[in-house]
Amino acid sequence: MEKKLPNSTKVVVIGGGVVGCSVAYHLAKFGWKDTILLERDQLTSGTTWHAAGLVSQLGPTAAITKIRKYTLDLYKKLEKEVNHSAGLRLNGALSIAQNKGRWQELQRQATTAQLYDVDVRILDKNQIKKDYPIINTDEVIGGILMPGDGAADPSGVTHMLAKAARKEGAQIFEKSPVDEILTKNGKISGVKVNGQEIECEYIVLASGMWSRQIGEKAGVSIPLYPAEHFYIITEPIENLSKTLPVIRDFDNRTYIKEDAGKILVGIFEGNSIPAWDKTNKVPEDFSFGEFQENFEHFEPYLASAIKRFPVLESAGIRKFFSGPESFTPDTNTLLGEVPEVKNFFVCCGLNSIGIGSGGGVGKVTAEWLMTGHINEDIFSYDIKRFQKFHSELGFIKKRITETLGDLYGMHWPFKQHKTSRNIKTLPHHDNLKSFGACFGVSGGYERPMWFALDGEKAEYEYSYNYQTWYPSAEYETNNTIKNVGLFDLTPFSKFEIKSDKAHNELQKICTANIKNEPGKCVYTHMLNSDGGIETDLTVVCVDKNHFRIISSAATRERDKFHIKKHLSKNIELKDVTDNLCVFGLFGPKSRDLLKTLSKDNFENDQFRFGFAKFITIDGVKIWTQRLSYVGELGYELYVDLKYTKKIYELLIEKGKDFNLSNCGMHAMDIMRMESGFLHWGHDISPEENQYQSGLTFTISNKKDINFIGKDALQKIESKKIDRRFIMLTLKDSKPGSPLLLHDEPIYFKGKIIGRTTSGNYSFNFKKNLAFGYINNTHSTEELLTSDILIEVEKQKYQAQLIEKPLKQSNFKNI
């Protein structure tokens, strides 16, 4: 008997692939039984059915590694619970390297794996040849083996999750395409399916490559697009080991796995082909579909695979597969609530890692939907890391030609994408370029990362050691502490609230005591109900009942969403990010420079640190804040867009008398670490609270208002914290030797006690500097008197705890 669609439900999950079935299972498992899943055709009929099914435990961050480890553990558990095979074949996975950079990358992965109890073994080329004679190791340096990895059957996993979801009470309906997503007052109200309306409170869009066009109909930006993805399956190969691990030959962009006595060869090429290039639309009826063979595109990669695995040379090809797989602008998944419509969640954009991550992203999505937040650093997966332009066809189609290849390309530190660039440029972009700016993308803007010296090329040369931009960063940081540096801060996120209720509203969502005093700037956080740090920002009172909120460039949509979510009705938050350019003038001569440009009073008794006011430069009224993220006397100038180029040129011209230098973001990041300033997304996130991070000064005990997270903070304060923030330097410090980044294990007395969150080389203090968190089981005195080690690329380096920032300047009182 055919099941009848209900008239109403709490949650509708759209999409019956591995991800949608996982979401439905977890929602029902966690107690929301009133969940239905709608599949337009049959389960797995989109991209799940043709997935290679690889599963890997280690991810690029702690949160993503947890997602992947949980996924594999879930599949093992559910196989027994619901008596359905996931087709797990955990023969391990071997990644090999044939050049120094890749070998360093793999060694870093092996080092990071120790933080998460992932079994990783390092093999030299002789061991690889002995254990896996199928590999031609002539050009191989070494590899890393993860014995617990392998592959699963995509169909088996999906139907197992569906069976588990039904067992928990969720309902699944095939042949039920969603014609329309219904909203009311900016909030999800239901869906229309085959002409029938179903009322619901929430939807989760898990419709893979269709997600972008479904979202577009509902006014929602979902930045992904499908590319053509290729693999071949050979004829049966005699005596092929059934325990062969998945082998990833990253440098040749190929992987192989044993497939029922045959070999599957897949590729992640550097220049992919967007699917449906003429229509720009995924057909609604594309089920279990394939594209025409394109052997010409595949052949060079097959030639490389044959060279690496000579057994392929005499093997016939049984199946040539080409099908669609969707990719995002940065090769990371899209999770969370969208900013445009309340209670509209996404779980899509898995970038060929759907089987290996499906269980974990389903769990995270269910928790996020049920609690309204996530107490983990999952920003790299949050859809709100993107802006609306990221889903526009002109941007996304070009970008995915590159990002498919990013999966197997080098994951260099500080790497910048080449496609879809110069989307948002500054009014003075050409001026910056003429001074040798090397641009990176920040908040969508082209922003100077560093400035080339003496006619050098303003281009990155990527490395895991000494950075070619170090001489520039050394000059820029040195000149800022001696003279004055000009930093472009335009991409800062900037929002405004004007209302007689604005002050009270901000008091409810900020931990600090916000002052309704024109010109007063307050550094603060906003928390979730569990005390996790959701935003890191400055609130400025421009005028009575008129406030400007300033936060990081990367978190624009996320911070805006969080603030709006907690504002009362009829309180408007206006995004003014693109209306104002911002210049940072920092250094001991910054005040003297401003005095030559403006008749306003900049003396300390008239313009104190933490205050702001309007000044006038050449007839232009400019809001100016005395703040500094680099630990020097300094000012932030907020300039109307139409005057920006003029003011920039004036600053440069007058700055010649004060040895002004243009400075980039690398210099700023180095100097903020010298000053002990933490960065949201690296050093703080919803995973940390202010007691762990040592930022309790941002909590006001003066105001008696019950701000969000206050109750949780009181509970946290009453107990001993489990981990704490520390600063470290290496005893033997040389630039780039080693290159400290993040997620390097911290050792004490032979055991891992924590991990780094930020790393940099300070040219002003000639020190390798690292921030991180450690288990709060050792006293400061103990840590100061015993050896601490930081491990990088499987080598341990002696480090020492520093109790105060390297820079101890008195810039606030000058």
Side-chain angles (χ1 to χ4, degrees), residues 212 216 220-225 329 340 386-397:
R212 182 189 165 279
E216 191 173 42
V220 171
S221 171
I222 300 176
L224 56 74
Y225 194 85
E340 297 95 339
F386 293 117
Q387 297 174 41
K388 207 165 188 68
F389 75 87
H390 286 108
S391 69
E392 292 172 0
L393 280 170
F395 180 95
I396 190 66
K397 280 183 66 179

Side-chain angles (χ1 to χ4, degrees), residues 7-228:
N7 293 320
S8 65
T9 186
K10 191 173 188 69
V11 188
V12 171
V13 179
I14 305 173
V18 63
V19 169
C21 290
S22 176
V23 173
Y25 162 71
H26 285 96
L27 283 168
K29 177 73 174 177
F30 296 160
W32 282 17
K33 310 292 184 184
D34 196 7
T35 294
I36 67 170
L37 182 149
L38 301 174
E39 162 56 40
R40 67 189 174 91
D41 192 355
Q42 299 175 49
L43 298 184
T44 79
S45 63
T47 55
T48 296
W49 72 274
H50 64 67
L54 307 187
V55 291
S56 178
Q57 301 164 85
L58 187 62
T61 67
I64 295 170
T65 298
K66 286 178 191 174
I67 282 172
R68 295 184 184 178
K69 285 190 73 175
Y70 172 86
T71 296
L72 186 53
D73 291 342
L74 176 70
Y75 294 168
K76 292 176 182 176
K77 185 184 79 156
L78 286 183
E79 277 191 320
K80 297 173 183 175
E81 283 186 10
V82 301
N83 192 28
H84 191 106
S85 174
L88 290 171
R89 297 179 64 244
L90 303 179
N91 295 333
L94 173 67
S95 298
I96 57 177
Q98 70 173 41
N99 59 59
K100 180 189 173 186
R102 182 72 69 180
W103 185 225
Q104 288 179 282
E105 180 176 298
L106 293 183
Q107 287 177 304
R108 282 178 179 262
Q109 288 180 11
T111 304
T112 302
Q114 298 167 135
L115 293 167
Y116 315 121
D117 297 321
V118 176
D119 185 9
V120 177
R121 300 169 194 177
I122 295 181
L123 308 179
D124 62 26
K125 67 182 298 178
N126 296 326
Q127 189 67 48
I128 291 171
K129 189 64 182 175
K130 178 185 173 186
D131 293 349
Y132 309 106
I134 194 173
I135 304 174
N136 173 7
T137 57
D138 286 351
E139 297 173 321
V140 173
I141 298 174
I144 61 171
L145 176 70
M146 298 188 187
D149 289 2
D153 169 38
S155 180
V157 168
T158 306
H159 286 282
M160 177 186 71
L161 287 164
K163 189 175 181 180
R166 291 187 185 102
K167 185 180 177 184
E168 293 294 340
Q171 295 185 75
I172 295 175
F173 297 89
E174 296 180 298
K175 302 293 182 182
S176 301
V178 173
D179 305 317
E180 188 180 354
I181 293 168
L182 306 174
T183 62
K184 188 175 182 180
N185 299 323
K187 184 178 179 180
I188 288 295
S189 62
V191 295
K192 189 179 285 187
V193 185
N194 289 329
Q196 177 186 335
E197 289 190 10
I198 303 173
E199 291 181 6
C200 65
E201 294 179 47
Y202 300 86
I203 69 159
V204 179
L205 188 61
S207 51
M209 60 183 171
W210 284 272
S211 299
R212 182 189 165 279
Q213 59 203 52
I214 292 173
E216 191 173 42
K217 286 181 185 177
V220 171
S221 171
I222 300 176
L224 56 74
Y225 194 85
E228 296 185 20

